[in-house]
Amino acid sequence: MTEHVVPLGTSGKQSPLRTLLWRRRSTRSFSARSLSLDALASILWAAQGHTADGHRVCPSAHARYPLALSIVAGDVDGLAAGVYTYDAESGHLRLTALGDHRDAVAQTALVDHEWLKQSAALLVLTGDIDSANRHFADQPPAGRRGQRYVWLEAGHASQNIYLQATETGLGATLVAGFHDDRLQDLDPTVVPAEHEPLAILAVGLPSEDSAWSPRKRSGQ
Ligand SMILES: Cc1cc2nc3c(=O)[nH]c(=O)nc-3n(C[C@H](O)[C@H](O)[C@H](O)COP(=O)(O)O)c2cc1C
């Protein structure tokens, strides 16, 4: 059979989404400037926000929404340094512990990520994997299908965080290389009971010399 090649071109139709996708990059160099509470709210909404029809911004297997977000805030304008949980339904933050705990979270990384604690806030994304495995136990591979769904959903939420950060001129990086047990055992708690840690997302204003810097990545 002769090879049939269909050239798709590289330019495509310009759109705001395409530009965002083009500009999105991981940022590991943050400015000392504070993150605004509004900017943090936009990021959290992009990750897990409710929509008017009772769904959320991310697709979710059986619309079960097994994810949760803890916010380890260090330098957010109008928000005391502390650990908060995000109530996706009300769009509220609930304080669980005061104090700057970014360093403790950064130290759970598998490799030295000194830059993690320079970000304004660290978002700890967690999921109820056991419950998902039980719920989807009738789907093969028995007892393990649910966890795939949770991980996939974490990917959706993470990409939404990246894209919202890019649109707002913020930097973000997903870190999935960490010691689960250390993050799970952290005091104050950043991983709710029954949940497993899935990702840490560092967010903040990028430093001027960051690869992301808006001047360096001003679109296509
Ligand atoms: C599943 C996953 C795990 C990652 N874990 C880490 C990590 O532990 N530390 C880190 O610095 N970056 C991590 N990253 C970010 C990647 O290094 C980054 O996306 C990659 O270098 C491509 O660069 P870009 O995001 O700027 O396009 C992770 C990304 C993904 C998707």
Side-chain angles (χ1 to χ4, degrees):
M1 193 173 129
T2 49
E3 194 186 16
H4 192 66
V5 177
V6 181
L8 297 176
T10 51
S11 56
K13 195 165 174 285
Q14 294 302 314
S15 72
L17 176 59
R18 189 182 166 90
T19 304
L20 273 185
L21 290 167
W22 181 270
R23 291 174 56 209
R24 183 216 60 80
R25 280 295 168 274
S26 296
T27 300
R28 297 183 183 82
S29 175
F30 294 97
S31 135
R33 286 181 299 147
S34 308
L35 185 66
S36 75
L37 191 51
D38 270 359
L40 178 64
S42 303
I43 296 262
L44 296 174
W45 189 84
Q48 281 291 279
H50 272 243
T51 49
D53 58 358
H55 285 234
R56 295 196 192 179
V57 291
C58 285
S60 180
H62 284 189
R64 296 188 79 244
Y65 305 110
L67 304 182
L69 266 174
S70 292
I71 297 88
V72 181
D75 194 5
V76 181
D77 239 1
L79 191 68
V83 178
Y84 299 80
T85 54
Y86 179 58
D87 182 335
E89 200 158 346
S90 65
H92 293 165
L93 287 178
R94 290 185 203 290
L95 177 71
T96 57
L98 279 171
D100 187 349
H101 299 280
R102 288 175 296 177
D103 192 26
V105 173
Q107 284 184 30
T108 67
L110 291 183
V111 293
D112 183 16
H113 278 341
E114 187 64 20
W115 51 271
L116 267 178
K117 60 180 185 234
Q118 313 296 345
S119 64
L122 294 169
L123 314 183
V124 181
L125 186 60
T126 67
D128 189 345
I129 288 187
D130 283 348
S131 162
N133 277 335
R134 284 195 301 275
H135 179 85
F136 293 104
D138 59 335
Q139 298 184 6
R144 287 189 290 127
R145 174 65 55 182
Q147 70 195 35
R148 297 187 189 180
Y149 294 157
V150 177
W151 282 106
L152 285 167
E153 195 168 326
H156 289 296
S158 300
Q159 178 75 347
N160 281 6
I161 289 172
Y162 263 109
L163 293 179
Q164 180 63 51
T166 306
E167 187 183 67
T168 326
L170 303 177
T173 289
L174 178 148
V175 169
F178 50 76
H179 294 277
D180 292 26
D181 50 345
R182 289 190 203 166
L183 200 53
Q184 221 143 8
D185 294 345
L186 217 64
D187 183 17
T189 301
V190 293
V191 180
E194 318 298 337
H195 276 225
E196 290 184 31
L198 307 175
I200 301 169
L201 287 120
V203 292
L205 284 136
S207 65
E208 282 301 307
D209 59 348
S210 140
W212 188 90
S213 174
R215 267 183 233 145
K216 294 190 182 164
R217 295 193 62 80
S218 53
Q220 280 175 251

